[in-house]
Amino acid sequence: VLLLCRHTVRHSLSQLCAVMVKHETPDRWPALLELLNESTKSSNAQDRQVGLLLLNKVMESNPEPFKPHYNQLLQLFSSVLQDHSNPSALYYCILTLTSITAYTGTEEMVSIAQMRSLVPSLIVALKHLIKADQDQASEAMEVLNELMESEVSIIVPHVADIVHFCLEVGSDTSLSDSLRVKGLSCIAFLIKLKSKTVLKQKLLNPILQTIFPVLTASPPPGEQDPEDEEDDSGDGTDDENPKHTAAQIIDTMALHMPPEKLFHHLLPLTQACLTSENPYQKKGGLMCLAVLAEGCADHIRTKMLSSVLQTVCQSLSDSNQVVRSAALFALGQFSEYLQPEVSKYCAELMPLLLGYLSSLNDTKVGHVTKAFYALENFMENLGADIEPYLPTLMDTMLSALNNTDNLKIKELAVSAIGAIANAAKELLVPYFPPVIESLKGFLTTTTEEMRSLQTQSLDTLSVLARTIGKDVFSPLAAECVGLGLNLTDTIDDPDLRRCTYSLYSAVSTVSPDCLIPHLTPITTIMLLALKSNEGITVKHDRFSVENAYIDEKEDACDALGEIAFNTGYYRYLLLSPLLHDPSNQCCWVSFPALLKLLDVVLPCFLETVRKETERQVVMGVLETMNGVIKSCKGEAFQNPTRLKDVSHVIRDVLKKKTVCQDAGGDEADDEEQQAEYDAMLQEFAGEGIPLVASSVPADSFAPFLNDLLPLIMAKAKSSCPVSDRSFSVGTIGEILQALVSVPGGRGVAGRLSNRLLPVLVAGVRDSDAEVRNNSVFGLGCLAEAAGPIIQRSRDYPTMLSVFSNMLSKESDLRVIDNLCAALCRMILSNVDVVPALVGHLPLKEDLEENKTVFSLTSDQTVLLLKALPCYKFAQNNGADFQAAVTSLPAEQQAHLSAAVAAS
């Protein structure tokens, strides 16, 4: 029947077969295999086309059961790709090849060599398909990206052929924009994955020579580039634009190639563009400079910042708006990526930007967007230097809020006010009332067209809460919370909810009390966001989540943690969904209720860490879980299995055994970024160890600590990166510090000393000051935690020798300050090291450690102060002394006052 039907019916029947294959494996459906075998090998071109259509649909639906047939399929594809007279067969063949590419290279499947041999035929087939049907060819070209992503070694021998083919497609103006974009995008992806191969095969110059004409091309007569259109939305989303994709290739080069090699080929082309009379040549040169700013930031900052800024400033005054618009984009990129050096040119750039804003026509939204983008990024880093420009800036912004009907212009102005607030802080107070009135007006309507403006208003309101000053913002805090709750009650939008979470967090920094009556609805909606499956889709056994929902989950985690700490009511926060009185006021928490909720919340956290696929979400959950443990301490571990469960989750993250660490990262993440995320994950997990150690009796935690310590200590090896070594010894120090204050801590610290001392001693000899600093801190904590045990051990002379050598050789003031703090910790443990300490007081840089110095008992402090005849400690360091004293508990303040009087 399938072979005799019309084309649309064949499609429908093939889809039906695909659905059936999901439930009935091909081995149990011999008729399907027989039909596929006969039709795909038929001498009739029409039959072959139908057979390949059916094969494509069933393979897309469920490729796994076809594993035993993959070798046979590849032999089929090899012959079909030669059938250049049957473009439909080529199309379905390539789509099917794309479906199985993800399975290439695993043990039970096809060999890489077999796939590699198909690439030349594949390129030729794509060329024929382009002549027959550009839409089908555009879809089929996805096979190249799939090959590179799944098993890049398949395409390595064919890199030059692929690059030349894709350049040919991308530069051919007779082809559709979508097809040209697909070819150029393939080159960008290849550079991201194999930049060294591109350089080694001398492909950099051919690529640049081909894409520059694309980047600088003039639009057809009477037309403009999309971003230069007067009615452009300004959102920058134009995926079908070859010019943008050409710029993305240069952006990718900047991120993945050495600047010296790139600039050698790039600068002559760029300079020729910038000196041209053609506005689109100039625009291309400016776009090139703009996209280099991120990846080549250090090179530009140190070697050419002044010259490129001069070029951009001249272009801002160009007679052609196309050039001015590109210059604004470049200046925005420089302001974002070339700080702090760019801010030094404030006197030259701010007048230009202000003059530019005063003459803008607000109907040209895309152009206005670039102007605001440049202004925002530049202002963000000015700090108090913004003051002379503040009246003009705020007059411009308030005028935009009050005198234009264009919602996009209002949104841009609201965003700019947030950037101004970040720089100006309390200087913005005179303008606060009219700004607030405008924001409140935007937040009280619920029409769909207002949504983007509302989310931006919430973001700016959050910035104002954190910057304008507590006295100014606090009277409005409760009203802001009410506005946020009203919006989330009436509008279902993840971006809007995300922005309300940020607002609540910001409000908690200035007026935490106003949040307490609303903790139930606030935390309920955040917990629902964490549990929600909205935005999750499954394709080819891969989960994907819309970015808006990922962002919402991350921000919910961040907000929960910050609100908890700032309110000081972790118990309120956790229990509000369960304990709430009829008058909408949170009740004080009973101990049994706290345990009940912890039994709900903590398992949820632990399961999320183990099974969530997105690293950022797991990081947020780990941070929040650490906050819960820090606040609830022993109550978090009342459940007899909780200590084991938390410890094992920390262990799994440190061993990279969670789902998100096995998932290989998001498709947009490169290997370097994935490694960075993995390191951050492990740091969040490591931070939990001392929090657990401070929450339970040491002997209870000791067995789990014995399992975790080797994972931490392994990162202290000299072959590890500095960040790992610093993290390792710092975490060890914090664990030992935690053991000081828990039952049995001294004994556990003493038993650990033989294992930890060599690691910490090696750390104090490290070439990096931060590693030395953390190691000294750890040695001091070891002395304090183990006390007399360490003094009686054979390791005590080693420790004293290490400190003595460091005091004579160390030049870093922060390390010296921590040495003094470590010696004070030894004094606290009744170890007499006063003579070694005296010569290095007062502390010079790490003044936080003054708390340790001033924690000595009265007798110890008298002994210390009497050994300082060359100056009077308190008088000569009055400000630091008083600041440290007032931060101490009352008993320690009394000890210190008595010691000063006695000395």
Side-chain angles (χ1 to χ4, degrees):
V1 175
L2 189 64
L3 299 176
L4 299 174
C5 296
R6 290 180 298 154
H7 190 63
T8 53
V9 178
R10 289 176 191 151
H11 262 278
S12 298
L13 288 173
S14 298
Q15 293 282 18
L16 175 61
C17 291
V19 173
M20 295 172 69
V21 164
K22 281 193 172 183
H23 304 282
E24 192 69 67
T25 62
D27 288 340
R28 297 181 59 187
W29 192 3
L32 173 65
L33 291 176
E34 184 179 345
L35 174 60
L36 287 170
N37 190 49
E38 289 180 3
S39 59
T40 55
K41 295 178 180 178
S42 171
S43 59
N44 184 297
Q46 181 85 351
D47 290 352
R48 291 199 304 275
Q49 177 184 328
V50 173
L52 288 162
L53 165 64
L54 176 60
L55 178 63
N56 170 237
K57 295 305 177 185
V58 296
M59 289 291 294
E60 279 188 344
S61 171
N62 193 9
E64 285 277 338
F66 287 86
K67 287 178 185 178
H69 307 281
Y70 276 14
N71 286 332
Q72 183 182 351
L73 285 172
L74 282 183
Q75 293 170 11
L76 169 67
F77 297 155
S78 180
S79 62
V80 173
L81 289 174
Q82 312 296 325
D83 189 3
H84 301 149
S85 62
N86 193 341
S88 292
L90 293 177
Y91 171 63
Y92 294 125
C93 173
I94 295 172
L95 292 189
T96 310
L97 181 60
T98 306
S99 297
I100 71 170
T101 297
Y103 298 90
T104 301
T106 53
E107 293 176 4
E108 66 271 57
M109 300 180 197
V110 299
S111 69
I112 293 174
Q114 217 175 342
M115 289 286 283
R116 190 180 291 141
S117 67
L118 289 178
V119 175
S121 299
L122 180 62
I123 293 174
V124 174
L126 285 169
K127 289 180 179 180
H128 282 275
L129 190 54
I130 287 171
K131 294 176 183 177
D133 190 317
Q134 291 188 32
D135 290 337
Q136 287 188 345
S138 179
E139 186 180 358
M141 280 187 68
E142 186 62 33
V143 70
L144 297 176
N145 283 343
E146 193 68 36
L147 282 169
M148 286 187 281
E149 183 176 23
S150 299
E151 185 51 70
V152 72
S153 64
I154 291 173
I155 57 95
V156 168
H158 308 288
V159 164
D161 292 336
I162 291 173
V163 166
H164 291 305
F165 165 64
C166 291
L167 287 175
E168 181 182 323
V169 173
S171 61
D172 189 345
T173 56
S174 68
L175 301 178
S176 67
D177 279 356
S178 63
L179 184 55
R180 294 178 66 198
V181 164
K182 190 62 69 81
L184 294 171
S185 298
C186 184
I187 293 174
F189 195 41
L190 178 60
I191 292 169
K192 177 180 176 181
L193 294 177
K194 300 297 290 184
S195 60
K196 291 182 180 178
T197 303
V198 171
L199 289 170
K200 186 176 181 180
Q201 297 194 19
K202 301 187 184 305
L203 294 169
L204 175 56
N205 198 50
I207 292 172
L208 291 174
Q209 293 289 345
T210 304
I211 67 170
F212 252 77
V214 178
L215 183 67
T216 59
S218 300
E223 297 183 20
Q224 289 183 303
D225 287 338
E227 68 273 13
D228 295 322
E229 296 281 355
E230 290 197 7
D231 60 350
D232 179 58
S233 65
D235 59 9
T237 56
D238 187 3
D239 295 332
E240 301 292 291
N241 189 324
K243 185 172 289 192
H244 285 183
T245 315
Q248 288 169 9
I249 291 176
I250 298 174
D251 190 3
T252 308
M253 288 175 171
L255 289 167
H256 297 280
M257 290 180 172
E260 292 78 11
K261 292 185 179 180
L262 176 58
F263 275 67
H264 174 72
H265 295 279
L266 192 61
L267 279 184
L269 296 168
T270 307
Q271 288 168 347
C273 290
L274 292 170
T275 55
S276 170
E277 294 299 318
N278 184 320
Y280 287 96
Q281 290 277 330
K282 287 184 179 178
K283 174 184 176 179
L286 290 164
M287 290 290 291
C288 183
L289 290 178
V291 298
L292 289 169
E294 181 182 7
C296 297
D298 289 340
H299 186 87
I300 296 173
R301 268 197 300 258
T302 57
K303 298 187 178 180
M304 51 192 302
L305 181 58
S306 179
S307 61
V308 296
L309 276 179
Q310 184 179 6
T311 299
V312 170
C313 288
Q314 290 172 349
S315 300
L316 285 172
S317 303
D318 195 277
S319 60
N320 192 298
Q321 181 174 291
V322 167
V323 178
R324 298 197 303 271
S325 187
L328 285 169
F329 175 65
L331 182 56
Q333 289 280 104
F334 292 171
S335 299
E336 184 170 0
Y337 296 113
L338 303 180
Q339 294 292 349
E341 285 79 3
V342 166
S343 293
K344 297 174 184 176
Y345 294 84
C346 175
E348 293 85 356
L349 292 173
M350 277 302 289
L352 282 173
L353 286 170
L354 291 174
Y356 209 90
L357 285 173
S358 67
S359 61
L360 284 176
N361 180 344
D362 68 6
T363 60
K364 300 175 182 178
V365 179
H367 195 56
V368 175
T369 300
K370 292 185 181 69
F372 273 94
Y373 168 67
L375 182 70
E376 275 197 44
N377 283 326
F378 192 74
M379 291 188 304
E380 195 87 34
N381 296 280
L382 285 183
D385 290 341
I386 200 173
E387 185 172 10
Y389 311 104
L390 204 51
T392 305
L393 280 169
M394 289 308 299
D395 286 347
T396 303
M397 300 309 149
L398 291 171
S399 175
L401 294 182
N402 298 323
N403 300 327
T404 181
D405 295 326
N406 190 307
L407 294 180
K408 182 63 180 179
I409 301 297
K410 289 180 183 286
E411 180 186 340
L412 292 168
V414 169
S415 178
I417 289 171
I420 294 169
N422 269 324
K425 297 185 170 54
E426 291 86 354
L427 295 172
L428 201 65
V429 169
Y431 307 96
F432 185 65
V435 168
I436 283 294
E437 286 308 307
S438 293
L439 296 183
K440 285 161 61 175
F442 300 151
L443 294 173
T444 52
T445 58
T446 56
T447 58
E448 179 65 31
E449 63 179 5
M450 292 290 290
R451 198 73 66 247
S452 185
L453 176 56
Q454 286 175 329
T455 56
Q456 186 56 64
S457 297
L458 287 167
D459 275 343
T460 296
L461 200 54
S462 301
V463 174
L464 289 168
R466 294 179 186 276
T467 58
I468 200 73
K470 181 176 180 179
D471 293 342
V472 176
F473 196 89
S474 290
L476 293 166
E479 186 178 2
C480 290
V481 174
L483 287 170
L485 288 169
N486 180 62
L487 285 171
T488 52
D489 282 345
T490 54
I491 299 169
D492 181 15
D493 182 90
D495 284 323
L496 192 74
R497 289 194 297 269
R498 176 183 60 77
C499 293
T500 63
Y501 306 157
S502 298
L503 177 60
Y504 303 146
S505 295
V507 168
S508 75
T509 66
V510 294
S511 184
D513 290 345
C514 78
L515 284 172
I516 293 175
H518 307 289
L519 283 178
T520 291
I522 288 173
T523 56
T524 298
I525 196 170
M526 291 182 187
L527 291 172
L528 287 173
L530 289 175
K531 295 178 181 179
S532 172
N533 291 327
E534 259 191 300
I536 297 177
T537 55
V538 183
K539 185 178 180 182
H540 301 325
D541 295 327
R542 267 187 181 169
F543 288 93
S544 65
V545 187
E546 291 178 38
N547 286 341
Y549 293 97
I550 293 176
D551 293 342
E552 184 187 4
K553 289 175 185 291
E554 289 180 40
D555 287 358
C557 286
D558 292 340
L560 281 168
E562 186 167 20
I563 290 170
F565 290 126
N566 289 331
T567 58
Y569 292 108
Y570 239 111
R571 299 178 183 182
Y572 274 17
L573 175 65
L574 289 170
L575 289 172
S576 57
L578 296 182
L579 298 179
H580 196 265
D581 70 13
S583 64
N584 201 36
Q585 298 294 316
C586 285
C587 304
W588 182 249
V589 179
S590 67
F591 184 74
L594 174 64
L595 299 184
K596 182 178 179 181
L597 188 58
L598 286 170
D599 277 344
V600 174
V601 172
L602 286 174
C604 177
F605 287 166
L606 297 172
E607 184 179 14
T608 303
V609 172
R610 286 195 178 100
K611 297 183 179 179
E612 173 60 47
T613 59
E614 295 295 332
R615 287 169 167 82
Q616 297 96 317
V617 174
V618 176
M619 281 187 264
V621 172
L622 282 170
E623 187 175 20
T624 303
M625 184 171 76
N626 287 344
V628 171
I629 294 171
K630 183 175 182 179
S631 177
C632 296
K633 291 196 177 293
E635 294 160 8
F637 298 95
Q638 289 291 315
N639 185 305
T641 66
R642 187 75 66 239
L643 179 58
K644 175 183 176 182
D645 294 341
V646 170
S647 300
H648 285 180
V649 159
I650 293 173
R651 178 199 64 191
D652 290 346
V653 175
L654 292 175
K655 286 186 171 184
K656 299 185 180 180
K657 287 189 174 181
T658 65
V659 170
C660 75
Q661 291 165 303
D662 288 336
D666 186 81
E667 292 181 1
D669 295 336
D670 58 27
E671 291 181 4
E672 183 177 345
Q673 190 172 45
Q674 289 180 35
E676 181 181 348
Y677 283 159
D678 277 336
M680 292 169 66
L681 270 172
Q682 295 195 336
E683 287 190 19
F684 278 118
E687 288 168 7
I689 301 175
L691 292 174
V692 176
S694 66
S695 302
V696 297
D699 289 328
S700 301
F701 187 43
F704 304 106
L705 184 58
N706 284 331
D707 289 339
L708 294 170
L709 273 177
L711 302 174
I712 298 296
M713 293 162 64
K715 296 178 179 294
K717 295 176 181 176
S718 58
S719 58
C720 293
V722 168
S723 57
D724 280 4
R725 303 200 304 271
S726 178
F727 162 70
S728 174
V729 293
T731 302
I732 290 170
E734 289 170 1
I735 292 169
L736 291 166
Q737 187 180 44
L739 292 175
V740 171
S741 58
V742 296
R746 175 157 290 181
V748 170
R751 292 195 294 274
L752 291 174
S753 61
N754 288 338
R755 295 168 64 188
L756 298 181
L757 192 63
V759 177
L760 296 172
V761 169
V764 300
R765 295 167 180 155
D766 198 281
S767 59
D768 183 81
E770 184 66 21
V771 178
R772 296 198 304 275
N773 192 53
N774 288 351
S775 300
V776 169
F777 168 74
L779 284 173
C781 291
L782 178 59
E784 185 178 4
I789 296 175
I790 196 75
Q791 188 173 4
R792 292 194 299 267
S793 75
R794 62 185 180 183
D795 296 323
Y796 177 64
T798 301
M799 189 180 294
L800 288 181
S801 175
V802 167
F803 283 171
S804 177
N805 288 336
M806 288 197 75
L807 285 169
S808 64
K809 296 178 181 178
E810 183 59 50
S811 58
D812 189 285
L813 294 178
R814 187 175 179 85
V815 178
I816 293 172
D817 287 351
N818 267 279
L819 276 165
C820 293
L823 293 170
C824 285
R825 287 188 170 94
M826 296 177 80
I827 294 173
L828 286 167
S829 298
N830 299 315
V831 178
D832 184 12
V833 291
V834 169
L837 175 62
V838 167
H840 297 277
L841 290 176
L843 303 187
K844 310 297 188 303
E845 196 161 295
D846 192 359
L847 302 183
E848 182 68 18
E849 287 295 349
N850 272 323
K851 293 181 181 179
T852 306
V853 177
F854 297 151
S855 294
L856 303 176
T857 67
S858 297
D859 291 341
Q860 290 168 337
T861 307
V862 168
L863 182 66
L864 183 60
L865 292 176
K866 284 184 175 178
L868 297 169
C870 56
Y871 58 84
K872 291 193 175 180
F873 188 79
Q875 288 91 334
N876 289 1
N877 301 276
D880 293 340
F881 179 85
Q882 289 302 326
V885 169
T886 55
S887 69
L888 297 173
E891 182 180 357
Q892 290 184 357
Q893 289 188 38
H895 283 320
L896 190 57
S897 298
V900 171
S903 65

